Amino acid sequence: MNPNKPDDVHLHIDADGWCAQAQQLRSPNCDVRADGVAIDLLVIHNISLPPGQYGGPYIAQLFTNTLDCDAHPYFDQLRALRVSSHFVIRRDGSLQQFVSTLQRAWHAGVSQFGERQRCNDFSIGIELEGCDTEPFADAQYTRLCQLSRALQQAHPLLAVTGHEHIAPGRKTDPGACFDWLGYRTLWAADVPSSAHNALPPFVTVAQKTQP
Ligand SMILES: [Zn+2]
């Protein structure tokens, strides 16, 4: 990643929780958040369908319940799955949004952050097209940072974490190839120096889970 790369794109999350600059592909796999719950956690994931293959329409189809599960042997196990994420960042950095940030997307599953369980209730999920064993693209970090800044403007983010950290033993994404330090450095690079402390902490240790 090149942290010196110019980054003058400012994304915006509107009052309805949608990013105008994202391709909107509305997923039915969402529901309302409980009244009064602060949306304060960012959860980073990776996904590729089939695993390790990029560029196809399958992630979007999975999240919109339009995936032909006969199209690839791997998809057979996805038949009963009803999942979504608020955002997907593809390898070229293009941004898709499936669920309003004001609604609950179904990305984290059984999970715990600190004392709080069911992270879907209070988090925003961002999927990077990728896998656990291959570096992510520079364009993805650039877009992720643009999106993170926009989300921080719209929601009182208290922390950023990975799916593997809130569901240890069950999930492994975004994995060891995800460059947490580079992400933080690039995010901070476009924030006025006086406001660096305003970046939410990155919590990249496995959270204790209740039995
Ligand atoms: Zn995940």
Side-chain angles (χ1 to χ4, degrees), residues 41 44 74 98 110 132 134 137 140 143 157 160 183 190 196:
L41 181 68
I44 309 298
Y74 179 82
F98 293 85
V110 175
D132 291 2
E134 199 171 354
Q140 292 181 293
R143 185 70 74 200
L157 298 182
V160 183
Y183 171 27
D190 201 41
H196 271 196

Side-chain angles (χ1 to χ4, degrees), residues 47-54 56 58-59 71-75 78 129-130:
I47 187 172
S48 49
L49 289 177
Q53 294 184 34
Y54 307 139
Y58 306 118
I59 300 167
H72 187 278
Y74 179 82
F75 298 168
L78 306 176
E129 187 179 23

Side-chain angles (χ1 to χ4, degrees), residues 1-204:
M1 147 178 11
N2 176 6
N4 299 316
K5 189 176 174 185
D7 175 12
D8 55 4
V9 175
H10 292 275
L11 304 183
H12 177 70
I13 309 296
D14 70 20
D16 294 322
W18 291 92
C19 177
Q21 294 98 334
Q23 180 188 13
Q24 288 187 14
L25 299 160
R26 290 176 184 248
S27 172
N29 304 331
C30 62
D31 49 17
V32 296
R33 295 187 192 266
D35 277 349
V37 169
I39 301 163
D40 61 15
L41 181 68
L42 215 54
V43 179
I44 309 298
H45 303 255
N46 79 48
I47 187 172
S48 49
L49 289 177
Q53 294 184 34
Y54 307 139
Y58 306 118
I59 300 167
Q61 291 174 356
L62 176 66
F63 288 172
T64 53
N65 301 343
T66 58
L67 179 64
D68 174 6
C69 290
D70 296 318
H72 187 278
Y74 179 82
F75 298 168
D76 189 53
Q77 64 193 278
L78 306 176
R79 280 181 205 282
L81 212 57
R82 292 290 176 266
V83 291
S84 62
S85 181
H86 294 93
F87 297 96
V88 171
I89 300 175
R90 310 202 68 189
R91 301 296 290 187
D92 64 359
S94 59
L95 181 65
Q96 299 172 325
Q97 184 171 7
F98 293 85
V99 175
S100 159
T101 60
L102 301 183
Q103 291 216 292
R104 179 167 53 188
W106 302 346
H107 59 98
V110 175
S111 53
Q112 180 161 351
F113 185 77
E115 296 299 311
R116 296 184 290 171
Q117 299 188 55
R118 298 182 306 278
C119 294
N120 283 342
D121 291 357
F122 52 91
S123 70
I124 294 168
I126 303 176
E127 297 271 5
L128 303 186
E129 187 179 23
C131 63
D132 291 2
T133 55
E134 199 171 354
F136 296 87
D138 286 355
Q140 292 181 293
Y141 288 103
T142 299
R143 185 70 74 200
L144 176 61
C145 288
Q146 294 165 354
L147 179 59
S148 300
R149 290 182 204 114
L151 291 170
Q152 195 183 20
Q153 294 292 312
H155 299 291
L157 298 182
L158 289 179
V160 183
T161 192
H163 200 188
E164 64 191 292
H165 306 116
I166 59 171
R170 193 175 70 82
K171 293 293 177 180
T172 58
D173 61 311
C177 291
F178 184 75
D179 182 358
W180 286 100
L181 181 60
Y183 171 27
R184 187 171 179 85
T185 303
L186 189 59
W187 181 346
D190 201 41
V191 173
S193 57
S194 60
H196 271 196
N197 290 337
L199 258 68
F202 284 28
V203 179
T204 55

